Amino acid sequence: MKYSVISIIFLALLTQGAWAAKSTAELINIAGMQRMLSQKIAKAYFFYGKGVRPSKTKKQLLDSIKLFNKNHQIIQSNVSDNNVQDMLMFIEMSKDELLPLAKQPFNKDNGSLMLDYSETLLEGSNDIVKRIEATTKSKTDKIVNLAGRQRMLTQRIAKFYIAYQSGFKDINTANQLKQSIKEFEDAHIILINNKTNTTQISNELNKVAKLWNIVSKFYKEVERGGLPVIVLSSTDKIMTSMNNVTGMYVKLKK
């Protein structure tokens, strides 16, 4: 079969791009991002169902699903471990159940299913991160995991906050929210004190700490109700900063 010059160039660029071999730090970053996306998909579904910033939250929902699918394929292509491949197959089955659900109108039953699927995807994705991390002794790789997990916690906090406001006012929802807040705060202290931080990383972490000190009380007062727009925007801002920090930690390995 003959290929045109354009086809050859395209294939070369494709190989050098998404499908190129990834370092351990890059794989931890990508696999860790799947944890975040599992929560962001559910979060966006609830916010959209509640009519909060509908154009933004619908876009978040669709974009997050698209990115989850892309990352899933990258991990499949870069990790040969049989246990990881088995978990990816399980995640794919769960994902295939979640995707049509994400397009259905919000109601209590669908919301309950969405919470269940998001927990399943989180557990499976976290297992993959742990297995990849277990292959390295690099302290930087472990920091990449910790920083990446902070992205997930921002979306998890927002997910449980809006789920509570959407009628899931059980003790489990409130406790999961409070536990996620505590885990975020504990991990942020570790990151701020990390000795390999560059000035740029430290500045970004301090920016997060400043915003967190202002808005975290809103997350902690979930029983009070209201403030969905503040929770949506502030958790997304913190997530973006933590994504930047995670990317900077990945670059420390290069």
Side-chain angles (χ1 to χ4, degrees):
M1 182 182 292
K2 294 183 178 180
Y3 294 92
S4 67
V5 174
I6 293 176
S7 296
I8 293 172
I9 293 174
F10 175 77
L11 288 171
L13 289 173
L14 187 64
T15 301
Q16 294 170 4
W19 309 116
K22 304 294 182 184
S23 69
T24 305
E26 288 172 321
L27 284 172
I28 290 173
N29 181 26
I30 293 168
M33 194 178 296
Q34 297 296 78
R35 296 180 298 197
M36 179 272 288
L37 292 169
S38 74
Q39 304 304 287
K40 191 174 183 179
I41 290 168
K43 177 212 75 174
Y45 178 78
F46 274 95
F47 272 100
Y48 180 66
K50 287 280 289 181
V52 179
R53 304 287 298 275
S55 59
K56 177 180 180 177
T57 50
K58 183 177 182 180
K59 186 176 186 303
Q60 275 196 9
L61 177 62
L62 298 177
D63 288 350
S64 296
I65 290 171
K66 184 177 179 181
L67 183 55
F68 191 96
N69 287 332
K70 178 183 176 182
N71 287 345
H72 188 82
Q73 292 178 330
I74 292 173
I75 298 166
Q76 278 183 322
S77 300
N78 281 271
V79 183
S80 59
D81 180 85
N82 289 333
N83 290 317
V84 170
Q85 290 294 328
D86 288 344
M87 183 57 72
L88 287 169
M89 289 179 63
F90 176 77
I91 288 174
E92 185 137 12
M93 289 188 292
S94 299
K95 177 169 63 73
D96 289 344
E97 295 287 338
L98 180 144
L99 298 186
L101 176 65
K103 298 177 183 179
Q104 293 180 20
F106 173 80
N107 57 45
K108 195 75 179 289
D109 289 339
N110 288 343
S112 181
L113 286 172
M114 180 60 73
L115 287 173
D116 288 344
Y117 283 127
S118 70
E119 292 298 288
T120 298
L121 290 179
L122 173 59
E123 186 173 65
S125 298
N126 193 52
D127 180 74
I128 290 173
V129 176
K130 287 181 177 180
R131 290 185 183 277
I132 297 172
E133 186 186 45
T135 66
T136 178
K137 295 182 179 179
S138 167
K139 292 182 180 179
T140 300
D141 288 342
K142 296 182 185 305
I143 285 292
V144 169
N145 180 14
L146 186 64
R149 191 170 182 273
Q150 295 291 77
R151 299 174 298 193
M152 178 276 290
L153 288 170
T154 66
Q155 301 306 288
R156 188 168 176 79
I157 288 165
K159 180 188 81 170
F160 282 124
Y161 185 94
I162 196 63
Y164 192 93
Q165 307 303 333
S166 301
F168 294 86
K169 297 182 182 292
D170 54 280
I171 190 67
N172 180 62
T173 302
N175 285 343
Q176 290 277 24
L177 173 59
K178 291 172 183 177
Q179 180 63 30
S180 298
I181 291 170
K182 183 180 185 305
E183 289 176 8
F184 184 93
E185 291 178 337
D186 290 347
H188 203 72
I189 292 171
I190 295 173
L191 291 173
I192 284 179
N193 292 324
N194 178 51
K195 293 181 180 179
T196 64
N197 288 350
T198 63
T199 300
Q200 190 177 10
I201 289 174
S202 293
N203 288 341
E204 195 73 17
L205 289 172
N206 287 331
K207 184 174 78 172
V208 168
K210 184 176 181 180
L211 178 58
W212 179 267
N213 287 336
I214 296 171
V215 299
S216 60
K217 59 178 173 289
F218 301 137
Y219 315 148
K220 296 173 182 177
E221 296 176 355
V222 62
E223 292 89 351
R224 173 185 165 195
L227 308 176
V229 175
I230 290 175
V231 171
L232 175 66
S233 62
S234 58
T235 50
D236 282 352
K237 284 179 182 177
I238 294 171
M239 188 274 291
T240 298
S241 288
M242 290 314 305
N243 191 52
N244 293 337
V245 168
T246 306
M248 285 187 274
Y249 279 130
V250 171
K251 290 180 180 178
L252 289 180
K253 289 294 296 292
K254 296 183 178 180

